[in-house]
Amino acid sequence: MEFVHKPIMLEECMELLQIKPDGTYVDCTLGGGGHSVAIARRLGNKGRLIGLDQDPQAIEAAGKRLQPYKDKVTLIRSNFVHLSEVLHNLDIVGVDGVLFDLGISSPQVDRAERGFSYQQDAELDMRMDPEQKVSAKDLVNQLDEKELARIIKNYGEEKWAARIARFIVEARRREEIRTTGQLVDIIKQAIPAGARKAGPHPAKRTFQALRIAVNRELEVLPEALNQAVDLLNSGGRIVVISFHSLEDRIVKQTFKERAQDCACPPGLPVCTCNARKELNILTKKPLEPSREEIDANPRARSAKVRAAEKV
């Protein structure tokens, strides 16, 4: 199966990035290369694009799509939390734009063997970086019940988290939970029949939670966003597409913190934090996809785009 990920809110992102032909840009989440191709097309001979992804299949697929622009594109296999280090190694001290397209790529879900999907039976995995040590199978078989429940509740916003965690622990006493199919069956048993009739697939929230935990998505995001802001040139822009309320909250909070002059408690006669406004927020409310885009690509429905400009 070809690694093709339909870029979400492409035109909105390009408009917010305001690509300069001679600028330097970073796509922190390369995926299938859709957003990167759109950036590369807008670059002149002196422009430069750095693409990051921790998934080797994404790097390979994007490399093929970006072949016509190879003279101005550099692809690096890395988690975006290492953004500063990657750019330092490339002797890049500042960039004119950074794009984050958070969450999971369509091919990662669609390829059964990656173990992300609750709709296809396969080895339970969910690692975006296949060389990472911890997989979803490790979490469901090794974490204690309390920690499992916390992850499923916090990252999946799952009402039945405690019950699902209890059923997982009971099931693994009988045999190791090795496949996505086994886990789906356990979740279905844990959620009462009446609650399974409405809403999304009963396993959707739990699978989302485990994926986020396995890949430490929410843990590394604040650090990566702050590195990106630090690396922006004056007038440079950061654009973030999120798909989860917790991701969006982190983006919103990070932008807010970097967009205020003083973070001292109200009432102090003199500022002691020495904070200086570094960002102008461009999206007072996040942009959302049009009805036409959602109809054409249902996976876009929960997308939110926030953007800011370096002072």
Side-chain angles (χ1 to χ4, degrees):
M1 184 188 294
E2 190 181 354
F3 197 111
V4 178
H5 177 65
K6 194 165 186 175
I8 304 289
M9 299 181 71
L10 182 62
E11 293 308 317
E12 292 91 336
C13 290
M14 293 306 107
E15 189 175 326
L16 287 165
L17 279 172
Q18 288 193 337
I19 308 295
K20 296 187 289 189
D22 61 348
T24 300
Y25 295 86
V26 184
D27 184 347
C28 283
T29 44
L30 199 54
H35 288 105
S36 278
V37 167
I39 294 170
R41 279 189 189 133
R42 290 164 168 79
L43 294 176
N45 292 333
K46 293 183 179 179
R48 191 170 184 190
L49 171 66
I50 315 301
L52 274 61
D53 206 293
Q54 59 186 329
D55 189 331
Q57 293 178 350
I59 292 284
E60 182 183 356
K64 291 175 183 174
R65 291 191 69 185
L66 288 159
Q67 188 64 22
Y69 311 101
K70 64 180 185 296
D71 293 340
K72 54 186 118 177
V73 174
T74 304
L75 304 185
I76 305 287
R77 184 181 167 195
S78 177
N79 186 298
F80 53 52
V81 77
H82 305 302
L83 177 60
S84 292
E85 180 185 346
V86 167
L87 295 187
H88 175 76
N89 291 339
L90 295 171
D91 294 323
I92 296 172
V93 295
V95 299
D96 299 294
V98 182
L99 175 70
F100 290 84
D101 180 5
L102 303 174
I104 192 170
S105 293
S106 301
Q108 291 170 328
V109 179
D110 295 338
R111 288 177 168 170
E113 70 272 15
R114 298 299 299 270
F116 284 96
S117 177
Y118 47 80
Q119 295 178 319
Q120 304 177 79
D121 191 24
E123 192 81 7
L124 188 57
D125 194 327
M126 302 194 194
R127 291 172 296 173
M128 292 180 182
D129 177 355
E131 293 181 7
Q132 181 184 302
K133 291 181 180 179
V134 178
S135 70
K137 183 172 74 172
D138 296 322
L139 296 191
V140 298
N141 286 291
Q142 295 173 14
L143 291 181
D144 64 36
E145 184 178 326
K146 187 177 180 181
E147 181 61 8
L148 271 173
R150 184 193 69 81
I151 286 171
I152 297 168
K153 181 179 181 181
N154 290 353
Y155 296 168
E157 298 175 300
E158 171 58 72
K159 176 182 177 182
W160 302 99
R163 191 172 159 91
I164 291 168
R166 189 169 79 247
F167 273 61
I168 287 172
V169 170
E170 288 172 357
R172 77 190 189 195
R173 288 195 187 110
R174 297 188 292 271
E175 63 173 336
E176 184 184 34
I177 302 167
R178 294 178 296 101
T179 69
T180 55
Q182 281 176 282
L183 183 56
V184 168
D185 287 343
I186 293 164
I187 294 166
K188 284 181 175 177
Q189 290 167 24
I191 298 176
R196 295 201 305 266
K197 290 177 182 176
H201 190 287
K204 180 180 179 180
R205 295 187 183 94
T206 298
F207 270 62
Q208 172 185 279
L210 289 170
R211 187 205 84 217
I212 288 171
V214 166
N215 297 289
R216 300 177 56 243
E217 294 172 42
L218 298 178
E219 291 176 51
V220 300
L221 182 57
E223 173 66 19
L225 292 172
N226 279 302
Q227 286 182 34
V229 173
D230 290 340
L231 289 159
L232 283 176
N233 294 325
S234 178
R237 293 186 165 196
I238 177 171
V239 177
V240 186
I241 312 169
S242 64
F243 296 85
H244 186 286
S245 60
L246 295 177
E247 287 175 342
D248 182 58
R249 200 176 303 155
I250 289 170
V251 177
K252 179 182 178 181
Q253 186 61 31
T254 303
F255 283 6
K256 183 180 176 183
E257 287 170 1
R258 303 296 291 262
Q260 61 187 16
D261 268 325
C262 174
C264 290
L268 278 186
V270 179
C271 171
T272 57
C273 71
N274 297 316
R276 291 291 176 267
K277 181 184 174 96
E278 296 170 275
L279 290 179
N280 286 319
I281 296 173
L282 302 172
T283 47
K284 289 184 179 177
K285 290 187 176 180
L287 305 185
E288 297 183 359
S290 65
R291 171 47 56 189
E292 291 76 20
E293 179 166 6
I294 294 170
D295 289 342
N297 182 13
R299 286 176 176 167
R301 65 185 173 273
S302 57
K304 287 183 168 58
V305 174
R306 293 186 187 271
E309 183 180 71
K310 189 77 171 276
V311 173

